[in-house]
Amino acid sequence: MNLPYGPDVAFGIHPDLGVAAVADDQPHLDELLRKHHFRYSQDLDVYLLAEGIGHNTAVRTMAAATRELQNTGHTVAADPRIMLPPPVPTAHSTATRTTQPGNTSTSLTGELHELRRSADVADTLEQILDEHHGAVGDLEEFIDTAAAWCERLDTPAGRELSQHLRTIAHHVALLGYRLTDAQLDLPVMPDATPQDAPPLSDLPLPARCTVPIVTHTARARAAVAPSQKRPAVLPATPVEAPRSTAAQPSLRRTR
């Protein structure tokens, strides 16, 4: 389709099919969108991603396509509602959780670099701890949901992993309590950082522990490795041969 006064490519939300794009009728735009897994729908005259793709994957795909389009000199427009994640499914007796854009741990970490008053830092940390939209509660709910998924397998391994995940979720909840203590201590600290204080980005951060990279092969080996809960399968005992009446040589080793 031709967009004479609009951008070269525009991204939006289709009510049933998710992230969609319309583009000017140029072959290289079609090629670039297909490179980023958008496929043209002749019936709807729009570009769509694969059916059933996750929200976060769709947003990352759109962002990657946007960067490449802009780097090649094209104009791009996007509906900000694309960034809103879908509501989390809940039971009929539970109120549906509304989503809020920009309230992520990454965006809040960026805000810290611009703050100077301890009370403002406390307010930012309170957003992390918010009962309904905070990152800590979201992480705990995610792990609990993953545990429920494993438990739904109805297998011994699934139930064991479910219990392990629920233990991790409990640790996340404890982390929230510790962060709440820190959040309550912030307002009683000195009100503001000195004007000559170095930028936050210049201060060295504590070294993080390195998380080992586990390959699929290593996971497969670990899955069949013996443990206290899963003992190794011993080889079958061979049938003992009839004993000979002849004298047997000594099996004792001599030095």
Side-chain angles (χ1 to χ4, degrees):
M1 63 179 297
N2 293 319
L3 302 174
Y5 302 108
D8 296 324
V9 178
F11 293 97
I13 289 288
H14 188 278
D16 300 318
L17 302 175
V19 176
V22 292
D24 196 1
D25 190 11
Q26 301 179 33
H28 61 280
L29 292 178
D30 177 85
E31 180 181 352
L32 192 148
L33 288 171
R34 290 181 182 276
K35 174 184 174 182
H36 290 275
H37 311 294
F38 283 89
R39 295 295 179 265
Y40 182 69
S41 171
Q42 189 74 35
D43 297 334
L44 299 175
D45 192 24
V46 296
Y47 288 86
L48 299 170
L49 292 171
E51 184 178 356
I53 190 172
H55 169 77
N56 291 338
T57 303
V59 170
R60 288 194 296 267
T61 302
M62 184 206 69
T66 299
R67 283 194 297 269
E68 186 164 352
L69 284 164
Q70 291 176 335
N71 289 339
T72 53
H74 294 288
T75 57
V76 182
D79 188 337
R81 290 174 294 182
I82 292 175
M83 303 303 296
L84 284 174
V88 178
T90 57
H92 295 295
S93 59
T94 306
T96 302
R97 290 182 53 192
T98 57
T99 55
Q100 291 186 352
N103 192 27
T104 65
S105 56
T106 302
S107 62
L108 294 176
T109 300
E111 288 184 16
L112 287 178
H113 289 261
E114 306 298 328
L115 301 179
R116 305 196 68 85
R117 297 174 59 249
S118 57
D120 295 333
V121 178
D123 291 340
T124 303
L125 187 53
E126 186 175 2
Q127 297 182 59
I128 293 285
L129 299 168
D130 184 85
E131 180 181 358
H132 301 289
H133 307 290
V136 173
D138 285 348
L139 178 59
E140 184 182 358
E141 182 178 1
F142 173 83
I143 298 174
D144 275 333
T145 304
W149 189 96
C150 293
E151 189 172 343
R152 196 174 56 172
L153 294 174
D154 198 24
T155 62
R159 288 188 288 271
E160 180 179 345
L161 183 54
S162 173
Q163 187 61 41
H164 179 57
L165 287 170
R166 293 192 189 282
T167 301
I168 296 175
H170 177 69
H171 288 306
V172 173
L174 292 178
L175 172 63
Y177 295 142
R178 299 293 298 273
L179 288 174
T180 300
D181 290 340
Q183 189 262 340
L184 294 174
D185 289 339
L186 275 167
V188 300
M189 294 174 60
D191 184 59
T193 55
Q195 291 295 329
D196 58 349
L200 193 58
S201 57
D202 291 347
L203 299 179
L205 297 177
R208 299 180 181 178
C209 60
T210 303
V211 178
I213 300 176
V214 181
T215 63
H216 292 289
T217 303
R219 291 181 185 274
R221 290 175 179 172
V224 298
S227 65
Q228 293 180 352
K229 297 182 180 179
R230 185 176 52 247
V233 178
L234 298 178
T237 304
V239 179
E240 186 176 358
R243 294 178 178 270
S244 173
T245 55
Q248 299 291 332
S250 173
L251 298 179
R252 181 181 300 174
R253 294 175 181 242
T254 57
R255 295 183 181 273

